[in-house]
Amino acid sequence: MQSVRKVQPAPDAPLAPIAPIAPIAPIAPIAPTRIQLAPTIIVVLVFTCIASLAWAQFGRGGFGGFFRIRPRFATADTFGHGFNYCRVMYTSNRREAGGQGWSTDYPDAERNFSKRLGELTKMRVSKEPTGEPNHLVVRLTDADLYQCAYISMEDAGTAQLSDAEVDALRRYLLKGGFLWLDDYWGEAAWDQWLHEMDRVLPATEYPVFDITPDHPVFRTLFDVKKLPQIPSIQFWRGSGGDTSERGEESAMPDFKGVNDKHGNLMVVMMHDTDVADSWEREGEDVRFFYQFSPDGYAIGLNVLMYAMTH
């Protein structure tokens, strides 16, 4: 065993003067967002607080940290405690650039959306004992599907549903369920999902239509003028600020819907835009937040509140 040598202290020396700290450069002003929210000072203050919170969490992950965790399925004690954000797990038969199948934007999109839902509305959000929102993953053939009043599918242009899943989704929607689709880009993705949608709800009976700005979903909670085109943060950074991930092919986002027999929306399809990325990545870049997140939360909350009240 080696002996430990005692270090003799050096004689005291005069301390060097501390260099003055340079002043912090001012932050450049942020351009205003493109939509007009409800004309109330409360909404403005809430979004200001959200921006401050997101900014304070930069550098340590914040709400936008990129995590890959196992799917969270329902347990015996999951339901009955408030709103649960339910994401559909499905099988992809191919891959789209930038997509990850059913798990695209998972789980931070639903984490952050559920947090903001609780902050910006009076809806009670189900939470874990830790305080984290109780978001869930469900299969279309699970009995738990009927505990979810609202389900979402991301990157749905790669989905290939089994006959059992088609039948289950049809029953769910016709019993009063609601489906949100987001983040599928280009003509190939659109054609593939439209084929699956026609298997679920034949277009001869349940036609797909354009949701125009005069539809109530644009004004359910916030006054939204149009569907924003929101790119993934990776594309936005790599392209120098572009929003169309497929160039001319996806130059304008599509906002489509399918009504039930009473004329109420039961399916909302947001094509050539990635609204959920504005939730998932809200804490990663202050520029991305200001440019996209208020728009993304506004349309997302409008759709959810419409689904829960119609």
Side-chain angles (χ1 to χ4, degrees):
M1 182 174 179
Q2 296 180 347
S3 61
V4 179
R5 182 169 59 88
K6 185 175 181 182
V7 178
Q8 298 297 325
D12 293 337
L15 297 176
I18 299 174
I21 299 174
I24 298 174
I27 299 174
I30 304 295
T33 54
R34 292 168 294 168
I35 65 169
Q36 295 182 0
L37 300 181
T40 164
I41 188 63
I42 297 177
V43 172
V44 174
L45 289 175
V46 169
F47 271 122
T48 302
C49 291
I50 290 175
S52 300
L53 180 58
W55 173 255
Q57 303 213 13
F58 291 161
R60 59 177 186 272
F63 295 137
F66 187 75
F67 303 100
R68 283 290 161 221
I69 64 174
R70 291 181 297 176
R72 176 187 289 181
F73 295 105
T75 67
D77 190 47
T78 293
F79 299 105
H81 309 290
F83 174 80
N84 298 289
Y85 192 107
C86 297
R87 175 190 290 253
V88 172
M89 175 183 283
Y90 62 83
T91 299
S92 293
N93 66 347
R94 64 188 187 88
R95 182 166 183 172
E96 279 278 352
Q100 296 171 322
W102 74 265
S103 65
T104 301
D105 299 330
Y106 177 82
D108 287 341
E110 41 262 71
R111 280 175 173 167
N112 294 346
F113 183 82
S114 298
K115 290 176 187 290
R116 303 313 180 203
L117 174 64
E119 293 168 350
L120 297 172
T121 74
K122 294 184 178 181
M123 187 176 294
R124 183 163 59 98
V125 175
S126 177
K127 294 182 180 179
E128 293 290 308
T130 60
E132 177 173 330
N134 191 12
H135 56 84
L136 304 170
V137 172
V138 295
R139 301 179 184 89
L140 292 172
T141 52
D142 290 345
D144 292 328
L145 180 70
Y146 292 95
Q147 299 286 344
C148 299
Y150 172 100
I151 58 176
S152 76
M153 292 178 67
E154 297 289 318
D155 195 22
T158 68
Q160 186 173 54
L161 304 181
S162 68
D163 290 342
E165 289 173 324
V166 166
D167 291 341
L169 182 54
R170 181 188 305 115
R171 289 195 301 270
Y172 168 80
L173 292 172
L174 296 182
K175 284 180 178 291
F178 192 95
L179 172 63
W180 153 295
L181 297 112
D182 177 43
D183 194 12
Y184 60 116
W185 296 77
E187 295 176 5
W190 171 251
D191 291 342
Q192 179 160 335
W193 173 251
L194 200 63
H195 175 266
E196 298 301 291
M197 190 74 254
D198 193 59
R199 293 173 64 204
V200 176
L201 297 171
T204 53
E205 191 174 1
Y206 297 96
V208 175
F209 65 93
D210 289 315
I211 301 175
T212 56
D214 60 344
H215 194 282
V217 77
F218 279 93
R219 300 178 301 279
T220 308
L221 183 62
F222 298 112
D223 183 17
V224 179
K225 301 304 182 185
K226 64 179 182 178
L227 176 67
Q229 184 170 69
I230 300 174
S232 70
I233 196 170
Q234 297 94 332
F235 177 85
W236 177 74
R237 286 169 171 164
S239 66
D242 289 345
T243 61
S244 177
E245 294 191 12
R246 300 292 185 272
E248 289 299 320
E249 186 179 337
S250 60
M252 295 294 294
D254 298 306
F255 198 15
K256 306 283 188 178
V258 177
N259 278 342
D260 61 19
K261 294 298 186 180
H262 303 287
N264 295 316
L265 283 171
M266 59 178 166
V267 180
V268 162
M269 296 174 280
M270 298 186 178
H271 174 242
D272 288 339
T273 187
D274 185 0
V275 172
D277 215 57
S278 72
W279 314 337
E280 179 194 12
R281 306 291 186 163
E282 69 160 47
E284 292 188 29
D285 189 312
V286 69
R287 300 166 302 163
F288 188 83
F289 174 88
Y290 274 109
Q291 186 170 346
F292 299 113
S293 292
D295 295 31
Y297 278 118
I299 192 64
L301 289 167
N302 272 16
V303 171
L304 176 61
M305 298 305 292
Y306 178 96
M308 302 299 285
T309 55
H310 289 73

